[in-house]
Amino acid sequence: MTVTVRFAPSPTGRIHIGNARTALFNWLFAMNNKGRFIQRFDDTDVARSRQEFADSILYDLHWLGIFPDVTEYQSRRFEIYDAAVERLKAARVLYACYETPEELDLRRKVRRTRGLPPVYGREALTLTPEQVAEYQSDGRKPHWRFLLPNFTSDPLQPERTEVQWDDLVRGEETVDLASLSDPVLVREDGTYLYTLPSVVDDIEMGVSHVIRGDDHVTNTGVQISIFKALGAEPPVFGHHNLLTTVSGEGLSKRTGALSIESLRGDGIEPMAVASLAVLVGTSENVTAAHDLAELAGHFDPAATSKSASKFDPDELFVLNRTLMHHMSFEEARDRLIVLGISGDKAEPFWLAVRGNLDRLSDALAWWRILNDGPQEPAEFSGEDRDFLHQAFELLPEEPWNGTMWKDWTGKIREATGRKGKPLFMPLRLALTGRTSGPELSDLLPLMGREGTLARRP
Ligand code: GLU
């Protein structure tokens, strides 16, 4: 059996780091099992779904390194769902209900006051043909509920019925079907809720493993029953924990919080996002993987915590710095060219500055400092100014070799008696205008003697 997974967001907003977690869990699972990855847009809610969001989701996935084998849209598959509805109706497990939301609400309240669980009491099954005819002549349209298999012979007498599965993430899972209302699969206007099209597609598309957030655990109990009602073997399920903000709030596609787009705009590398999205809340240390193949080696769904994990964007910067630190010139080259950093000096420049960057685009400020001098020239005390005059007098002639920096600062130390910070800090400030940054021994050869002397205060 070919392992087949799918990532199935509804295109109602930009995806965030939590959605990326789901996509990556599926992608890495497929990678580790030589499987297929289906990108499926759950866009049955035509009013809220937008093509531009689907396009942006594909863009974000590609940016993360996810390249789906196939892309499907549920909005193009309504006939297939219609056929499934007919089958369920014929099997008498999909039944018409005429209650309004207000009537249902009232019934729930009554059940609560009687100490009964607030689930739907299947009253629609007791309607006489005359009552149905009356609703219809009143112009009421039915919505359709799936009859959960939680009874022996009388649906009005539900009994504890456990649906069990061995969850890829959570281990043994159980849902009691008697604790749930029969789910509405088709609304009164004929539109589909997510539940049925998802099952129909998982069957039709040969999905072998459904990996999704643990907000779907209860759905799984229902959907396993629908798979069976449609005569199909349910896939293997895995439910990973959800990510929250540091203050514990859930992430939402609609608010754009921690969207992949905004992280990209902040200069975060895809592998920083992917590493944190996958490893946070697992027993693995959160370190920056170099690529998805390396991350796949650390990926173990069963090692994921069962409770929600807090996601701290500051950790992304820590991972980003590590990635910058180790990024080879070959990897950086094209992106540096886009910033205007090219030519013979580009490689030694990159190797000199990469250890000091929060994000790749920060290299530009250093490139400008090297080529045009400090952005804001530093202020010096009279004493430091004298010291610097003396120091610059001692600057060796070119050509410079690997010991030039050591030789120069050795001479300065001898002549001025300064050492440590009082020696290096005025030099650093004069040369770069900053109190910290790349090794001056790496920067000086890039400035050259002329460029260095031009920085004399
Ligand atoms: N459209 C559903 C969601 O975004 C998909 C859930 C699933 O993977 O089945 O939550």
Side-chain angles (χ1 to χ4, degrees):
M1 173 199 65
T2 310
V3 164
T4 302
V5 296
R6 84 295 193 283
F7 174 52
S10 39
T12 53
R14 313 247 2 177
I15 51 169
H16 52 61
I17 183 105
N19 306 124
R21 181 172 174 83
T22 309
L24 285 159
F25 266 51
N26 279 286
W27 180 251
L28 299 179
F29 188 80
M31 269 179 104
N32 285 345
N33 293 284
K34 300 194 176 21
R36 294 172 70 234
F37 179 102
I38 298 172
Q39 175 53 41
R40 191 184 83 202
F41 288 110
D42 283 4
D43 57 350
T44 54
D45 183 346
V46 185
R48 285 180 48 229
S49 300
R50 299 232 296 268
Q51 184 63 44
E52 78 186 71
F53 289 132
D55 294 342
S56 76
I57 290 170
L58 287 173
Y59 187 91
D60 290 343
L61 293 180
H62 294 174
W63 182 74
L64 286 167
I66 295 177
F67 296 89
D69 291 289
V70 50
T71 299
E72 304 276 5
Y73 292 82
Q74 291 195 323
S75 58
R76 300 175 191 172
R77 299 169 54 79
F78 284 124
E79 292 112 72
I80 300 173
Y81 312 139
D82 293 346
V85 160
E86 292 315 315
R87 282 182 61 195
L88 295 178
K89 281 184 190 167
R92 310 185 70 80
V93 289
L94 194 66
Y95 62 98
C97 302
Y98 291 87
E99 295 91 344
T100 63
E102 295 73 32
E103 285 164 358
L104 288 172
D105 202 37
L106 188 65
R107 280 218 198 114
R108 266 193 298 270
K109 282 185 187 138
V110 172
R111 285 182 74 94
R112 270 209 200 91
T113 51
R114 288 194 193 144
L116 295 168
V119 296
Y120 180 59
R122 293 179 165 155
E123 289 81 358
L125 293 177
T126 62
L127 292 176
T128 61
E130 293 73 32
Q131 285 170 310
V132 171
E134 204 177 313
Y135 280 137
Q136 286 175 344
S137 67
D138 285 353
R140 280 209 201 184
K141 294 248 179 326
H143 54 273
W144 297 82
R145 286 186 192 261
F146 175 68
L147 186 64
L148 289 170
N150 57 9
F151 55 92
T152 312
S153 54
D154 179 3
L156 299 179
Q157 301 290 326
E159 42 197 65
R160 187 172 176 89
T161 309
E162 290 186 349
V163 176
Q164 286 180 334
W165 69 93
D166 189 13
D167 197 283
L168 275 179
V169 178
R170 300 163 63 87
E172 192 70 20
E173 267 298 335
T174 304
V175 168
D176 171 19
L177 295 183
S179 68
L180 305 176
S181 294
D182 287 340
V184 176
L185 301 188
V186 187
R187 296 190 189 86
E188 60 193 31
D189 62 1
T191 58
Y192 287 101
L193 281 104
Y194 141 83
T195 316
L196 176 66
S198 180
V199 172
V200 172
D201 284 347
D202 288 341
I203 297 171
E204 289 258 334
M205 296 174 187
V207 171
S208 61
H209 292 74
V210 169
I211 303 173
R212 56 188 179 184
D214 61 16
D215 48 338
H216 285 287
V217 167
T218 308
N219 278 343
T220 295
V222 169
Q223 288 183 321
I224 285 177
S225 312
I226 300 178
F227 274 100
K228 291 186 176 159
L230 289 170
E233 190 59 37
V236 176
F237 285 90
H239 298 87
H240 64 74
N241 63 348
L242 300 185
L243 302 186
T244 69
T245 63
V246 177
S247 51
E249 292 143 34
L251 306 178
S252 158
K253 260 204 246 107
R254 260 165 282 170
T255 61
L258 293 169
S259 72
I260 300 302
E261 181 193 33
S262 67
L263 298 175
R264 181 168 54 238
D266 285 343
I268 306 291
E269 297 293 310
M271 280 314 300
V273 176
S275 302
L276 192 57
V278 170
L279 298 178
V280 68
T282 70
S283 53
E284 286 277 334
N285 282 338
V286 179
T287 52
H290 180 258
D291 53 29
L292 290 179
E294 185 188 329
L295 190 56
H298 295 285
F299 172 64
D300 174 10
T304 309
S305 155
K306 283 193 188 184
S307 47
S309 295
K310 289 201 163 119
F311 168 82
D312 182 356
D314 285 348
E315 281 192 60
L316 283 174
F317 279 100
V318 175
L319 297 175
N320 224 45
R321 277 193 285 274
T322 311
L323 288 167
M324 289 293 119
H325 209 125
H326 294 104
M327 190 180 285
S328 69
F329 176 64
E330 286 65 39
E331 278 176 89
R333 185 191 350 238
D334 289 350
R335 293 166 67 188
L336 294 175
I337 289 173
V338 173
L339 294 176
I341 300 171
S342 59
D344 293 347
K345 281 190 187 168
E347 180 164 7
F349 164 78
W350 174 251
L351 298 178
V353 302
R354 64 181 180 176
N356 287 271
L357 305 179
D358 285 338
R359 49 175 86 77
L360 188 132
S361 60
D362 292 345
L364 187 54
W366 283 108
W367 185 250
R368 292 201 174 124
I369 289 171
L370 275 182
N371 291 294
D372 311 330
Q375 311 285 286
E376 284 170 43
E379 300 280 329
F380 293 104
S381 65
E383 213 179 313
D384 279 347
R385 191 172 284 272
D386 290 345
F387 161 77
L388 285 167
H389 271 263
Q390 241 181 313
F392 277 91
E393 288 300 328
L394 298 167
L395 186 67
E397 293 295 331
E398 281 170 323
W400 289 344
N401 60 22
T403 64
M404 172 271 161
W405 172 251
K406 217 165 144 243
D407 298 343
W408 185 32
T409 49
K411 279 192 204 152
I412 301 174
R413 192 177 303 120
E414 239 168 67
T416 65
R418 286 201 189 194
K419 54 185 180 182
K421 202 172 168 194
L423 185 154
F424 293 109
M425 191 50 78
L427 280 178
R428 178 173 284 288
L429 275 171
L431 294 170
T432 69
R434 295 191 178 186
T435 53
S436 64
E439 294 291 338
L440 291 173
S441 55
D442 294 332
L443 294 183
L444 272 191
L446 295 166
M447 294 177 191
R449 191 164 195 278
E450 207 180 312
T452 306
L453 289 176
R455 289 162 160 87
R456 191 197 316 227

